[in-house]
Amino acid sequence: MPADFFAKPVQYLKMIGPRRAAAMQKLGLFTVRDLLYHFPRRYEDRSRLLAAGACPHGETATIRGTVLAAQDLKPRRGLTVTKLAVHDGTGIFYAVWFNQPFVKKNLSTGTKLFVTGKVDKSFGPVQVMVEDYEVAEGGDPLGAGRLVPIYPLTGQLTQRLLRAVVKTTLDEARSNAGEFLPAELLGKYKLPVFGDALASIHFPECREDLEKARRRFIFEELFLLQLGLAVRRATVAPRHKEYRCRPDGRLTSSFINNLPYRLTGDQVRVWGEIAADMESSSPMQRLLQGDVGSGKTVISILALLKAVENGLQGALMAPTEILAEQHYLVMKRALSSIDVEAGLLTGSTPKKEKELLLQRLAEGDLKLLVGTHALIQQDISFQRLGLVVVDEQHRFGVRQRAALQYKGNCPDTLVMTATPIPRTLALTLYGDLDLSVISETPPGRLPVKTYAVLPSALHKAYKLAADQLRLGRQVYIVCPLVEESEKVDLQAATDIAEKLAAGEFRNYRVRLLHGRMKAGEKEEIMTAFRQGEVDVLVATTVIEVGVDVPNATMMVVLDADRFGLAQLHQLRGRVGRGGHQSYCILTGNPRTEEGKARLKAMTLTADGFALAEEDLRLRGPGEFQGTRQSGLPELKIADLLRDVQVFQTARQEAIALAGSDPNLTRPENSRLPAEIKARYSGSGGYMGIG
């Protein structure tokens, strides 16, 4: 199909003007492409037309008839009942609308129409409470006598209007339709061609045609998504990086020998994978995935040291200042014995200090730099950037990852996440990366005992916390998410901290930590907590990742049902990091089944990967850890749980195609690059195509 037709704004379609276009844009419908890929959420079978008298009471039915008369009744103020007497060929029934007096003007005597609604035979003549209607004009009816599409709506849009607009646009599209999937794939998997599938997904002639169309678009969506990643990977792999590492040297060996513990089996395996990548001639593109507390930081430090011992520089980018500061402090302590220096650069770094850092970085004197997205500012240049480490990648857009890579000439890239991600989602988000997983936890750690309790039992949770404090341990109190207003959340946290300091924990040192504090103040509080100078830390979710205090053995999460499952798991990961038994108390009174399921799952397992699967099942891929904001295009029709087999097939085909034709220049593949770019170019540079 000509690209310019698909790119046509919906505002210029028949029946659509600026007002309706604005309503459509709320649904994400900006172009013809958006409209035609706005698939029905369900279908109603209105193919059986019965006489009103033959329809069962209380069921929804579609009846065809001719209007005989109309009247408006006003039984009370504010209510208008419009009744049309309709003859269905065997008798008369009454079609009933509420507060829609315009219907009487639109459907004059003699009009032939279809009405769909609930049949009422309670008393007197049959009545139909109309949910939908369509004038029978002799053409192909869109709302009756067939499988009728029901679309997601918003604002002033109606099903009748959207069906009419889609049908008109579809008729024009089919005359211009061109297939872009390779014919070999269509034949291999018995998929209908594009134009036929598009017609059948919106206005199917039968269930079989609908299912064929659905299979086509599920495969198409997953295939194009994976093909974009496979092409990106195939074009990166042949590149030769400017700097290639030698086998392990003095710094990495010294660091491993100075560790107060032995690396786990998983850490040894993963370090071997990363080291081999760094020693190869092609740039490393690897995702390091591990549960909370599994030891990813040690592996990232080893990778950075490997770069340094080969005369290169390394950069680690974290999503928040508090996490960047945590990485910096851990690195500073870990590297002190082997005389390697790291710098810290965030938005709060003083100007003079920043200027000195940048000068040393450009001259090659400073080998390691830790920071936030401040690292990708234009005025920052490295002399020999050999390794880029991106922590908590799901919090960054792909363009931010790429911007840091561009600071070097094809540097090795290690992406880390402490958020366990189901394999299908990981391959969708990071299909251009090799995957390494650390599932073991360091020896000696006890599972965190987790309990979900009602708010009425909060005093018992505080009593258990006081018991831990008497043993010399430390406690986190996590404040609830009140609403999206950061100001309101902050006030709630302040009130809680003051109340606890004056009440349950009045004999202990209580401090408050929140995201709006200045970097210096946050670091002062976290340092005091790490050093045991603060007993109870009342905090917002700034402690969700990166905070490591082995003496903290107790966490109470207030209104835990307001948090996502993955977020709760991350929070719980702040305790249980030492050798003492730790506890996590989740207080809340969930009103929904999903909320109850989240809290129950937290009490049943500490396996982050199992929780991630449950989170994906409960919330869907679009909402999982904010993936819509981090580069994952919203899936229109595919479901990563339901369609896992199709996903695997589509991925295999995408990898095979990218391997045989990485630039997609063969005639049978020539339409694919434009199609991928049109679908995914708006997702933060996700595909890297074009």
Side-chain angles (χ1 to χ4, degrees):
M1 178 179 297
D4 55 350
F5 177 77
F6 248 32
K8 182 179 179 180
V10 291
Q11 180 177 339
Y12 302 114
L13 296 175
K14 293 178 182 177
M15 297 176 279
I16 303 293
R19 185 174 58 84
R20 285 175 172 169
M24 295 177 81
Q25 286 167 9
K26 291 180 181 177
L27 285 171
L29 309 183
F30 294 88
T31 65
V32 166
R33 174 183 299 283
D34 298 331
L35 176 66
L36 295 184
Y37 276 84
H38 185 64
F39 298 133
R41 57 185 169 86
R42 63 184 177 87
Y43 301 82
E44 288 185 358
D45 189 349
R46 301 180 187 174
S47 56
R48 283 185 70 222
L49 296 177
L50 298 175
C55 296
H57 170 73
E59 290 194 7
T60 299
T62 300
I63 307 166
R64 179 172 181 155
T66 303
V67 177
L68 300 180
Q71 68 174 143
D72 284 334
L73 304 175
K74 296 186 178 181
R76 67 173 185 268
R77 188 173 180 179
L79 175 61
T80 300
V81 179
T82 301
K83 299 181 78 171
L84 268 60
V86 182
H87 195 280
D88 63 10
T90 62
I92 295 173
F93 71 95
Y94 289 95
V96 181
W97 287 261
F98 297 97
N99 286 332
Q100 297 184 51
F102 57 86
V103 168
K104 183 180 174 183
K105 297 177 183 178
N106 294 344
L107 302 177
S108 57
T109 302
T111 303
K112 291 180 169 53
L113 79 164
F114 298 92
V115 293
T116 300
K118 186 169 287 188
V119 176
D120 185 354
K121 293 183 172 181
S122 300
F123 53 88
V126 177
Q127 296 189 116
V128 176
M129 307 304 152
V130 180
E131 299 170 7
D132 194 10
Y133 74 91
E134 181 173 346
V135 175
E137 297 176 333
D140 183 15
L142 303 180
R146 62 178 315 131
L147 285 173
V148 176
I150 307 297
Y151 295 94
L153 294 178
T154 188
Q156 298 177 345
L157 298 178
T158 65
Q159 293 292 345
R160 195 179 313 111
L161 172 68
L162 204 51
R163 284 186 208 119
V165 173
V166 169
K167 185 66 167 68
T168 302
T169 309
L170 196 57
D171 290 342
E172 188 177 353
R174 290 198 71 180
S175 64
N176 294 289
E179 183 58 72
F180 46 85
L181 290 182
E184 181 184 351
L185 290 180
L186 296 178
K188 185 175 182 179
Y189 296 107
K190 298 182 173 56
L191 302 175
V193 296
F194 177 66
D196 292 347
L198 206 53
S200 293
I201 198 76
H202 287 287
F203 300 105
E205 294 294 328
C206 60
R207 289 281 179 187
E208 185 181 359
D209 287 352
L210 172 59
E211 288 310 310
K212 287 179 180 177
R214 282 179 54 79
R215 281 197 306 111
R216 148 77 198 220
F217 285 113
I218 290 170
F219 179 87
E220 173 192 305
E221 184 166 51
L222 296 173
F223 174 74
L224 292 177
L225 190 59
Q226 289 301 304
L227 182 60
L229 291 166
V231 166
R232 178 172 170 170
R233 181 174 181 141
T235 52
V236 170
R239 295 180 189 168
H240 287 272
K241 57 193 179 191
E242 188 173 344
Y243 314 113
R244 183 175 175 180
C245 291
R246 298 181 298 277
D248 290 353
R250 177 183 62 84
L251 292 179
T252 46
S253 298
S254 297
F255 180 74
I256 291 173
N257 292 334
N258 285 335
L259 287 173
Y261 52 82
R262 296 183 64 179
L263 296 177
T264 65
D266 273 4
Q267 286 176 314
V268 171
R269 172 181 52 77
V270 167
W271 171 232
E273 294 168 351
I274 291 170
D277 284 351
M278 295 180 73
E279 292 163 22
S280 76
S281 59
S282 298
M284 172 172 67
Q285 297 284 318
R286 185 169 289 276
L287 169 66
L288 174 55
Q289 185 180 359
D291 211 339
V292 288
S294 60
K296 297 179 301 302
T297 301
V298 170
I299 300 302
S300 69
I301 293 174
L302 273 170
L304 290 164
L305 284 177
K306 188 173 182 68
V308 172
E309 69 187 7
N310 281 275
L312 306 174
Q313 292 169 298
L316 188 154
M317 183 166 68
T320 65
E321 288 196 5
I322 199 165
L323 184 51
E325 291 156 7
Q326 174 80 12
H327 275 299
Y328 169 70
L329 291 171
V330 169
M331 206 175 291
K332 186 178 178 181
R333 289 196 298 270
L335 301 181
S336 59
S337 61
I338 54 176
D339 198 29
V340 175
E341 182 187 3
L344 175 65
L345 179 65
T346 69
S348 302
T349 303
K351 185 178 179 182
K352 285 189 176 180
E353 188 179 330
K354 177 182 176 181
E355 288 173 352
L356 180 60
L357 273 175
L358 298 189
Q359 182 182 341
R360 294 184 62 202
L361 200 66
E363 293 173 354
D365 177 43
L366 183 63
K367 302 297 184 184
L368 297 177
L369 185 62
V370 179
T372 58
H373 60 275
L375 295 184
I376 61 178
Q377 293 171 354
Q378 286 188 342
D379 58 347
I380 297 174
S381 62
F382 295 78
Q383 187 187 67
R384 300 185 76 198
L385 181 60
L387 174 65
V388 168
V389 179
V390 181
D391 194 19
E392 294 302 318
Q393 161 65 32
H394 67 271
R395 304 246 181 134
F396 291 107
V398 177
R399 281 181 181 158
Q400 290 171 305
R401 189 216 308 178
L404 186 53
Q405 290 172 309
Y406 292 146
K407 297 287 183 182
N409 187 359
C410 295
D412 290 317
T413 301
L414 178 64
V415 172
M416 300 196 302
T417 178
T419 303
I421 303 172
R423 181 170 176 79
T424 51
L425 187 56
L427 292 174
T428 305
L429 275 170
Y430 308 114
D432 57 329
L433 306 177
D434 293 309
L435 182 62
S436 291
V437 178
I438 302 178
S439 52
E440 285 182 89
T441 54
R445 291 191 179 178
L446 300 171
V448 177
K449 292 185 177 181
T450 305
Y451 304 95
V453 301
L454 293 170
S456 58
L458 185 58
H459 66 284
K460 294 182 180 179
Y462 286 150
K463 184 178 182 299
L464 179 58
D467 293 340
Q468 291 296 300
L469 292 168
R470 279 191 287 274
L471 292 172
R473 312 284 184 252
Q474 291 162 282
V475 172
Y476 294 104
I477 307 293
V478 180
C479 299
L481 295 164
V482 180
E483 55 182 58
E484 290 186 4
S485 166
E486 200 175 358
K487 186 176 180 181
V488 176
D489 279 350
L490 174 56
Q491 185 59 51
T494 304
D495 293 345
I496 289 168
E498 291 175 353
K499 182 181 176 183
L500 291 176
E504 287 86 347
F505 304 124
R506 58 185 173 276
N507 297 322
Y508 298 96
R509 295 161 295 182
V510 179
R511 294 290 298 273
L512 171 65
L513 180 71
H514 58 79
R516 299 186 79 184
M517 288 176 168
K518 291 182 179 179
E521 189 178 2
K522 282 188 288 189
E523 186 46 46
E524 180 267 319
I525 294 171
M526 279 311 307
T527 299
F529 191 63
R530 272 191 292 267
Q531 294 176 350
E533 297 166 4
V534 172
D535 302 308
V536 179
L537 187 63
V538 179
T540 59
T541 54
V542 293
I543 64 161
E544 182 184 341
V545 290
V547 178
D548 188 1
V549 182
N551 192 48
T553 58
M554 177 85 182
M555 173 176 284
V556 179
V557 183
L558 304 176
D559 289 354
D561 49 304
R562 296 184 179 180
F563 296 88
L565 190 52
Q567 194 174 31
L568 287 173
H569 181 61
Q570 288 293 320
L571 287 167
R572 177 171 60 183
R574 300 313 103 209
V575 295
R577 303 179 80 88
H580 307 293
Q581 179 62 62
S582 293
Y583 305 87
C584 179
I585 310 297
L586 308 172
T587 70
N589 187 15
R591 306 287 184 186
T592 66
E593 290 304 315
E594 181 185 327
K596 293 174 184 176
R598 283 202 302 269
L599 296 190
K600 183 178 180 181
M602 284 292 294
T603 63
L604 293 178
T605 182
D607 183 339
F609 291 93
L611 289 172
E613 290 284 356
E614 179 68 3
D615 203 19
L616 182 63
R617 186 186 69 80
L618 290 172
R619 290 163 44 167
E623 297 300 333
F624 183 87
Q625 268 311 104
T627 52
R628 277 194 184 131
Q629 283 71 52
S630 64
L632 177 62
E634 182 183 352
L635 297 176
K636 301 287 188 184
I637 192 168
D639 181 295
L640 292 177
L641 286 176
R642 181 197 64 208
D643 302 319
V644 63
Q645 289 185 317
V646 182
F647 172 83
Q648 291 168 348
T649 300
R651 187 166 188 269
Q652 289 169 359
E653 294 291 355
I655 292 171
L657 181 56
S660 63
D661 186 16
N663 296 313
L664 302 180
T665 53
R666 292 178 185 166
E668 63 270 27
N669 302 328
S670 61
R671 299 177 65 90
L672 287 167
E675 194 65 31
I676 296 171
K677 186 177 180 182
R679 301 286 182 92
Y680 304 120
S681 61
S683 56
Y686 182 73
M687 288 303 174
I689 287 181

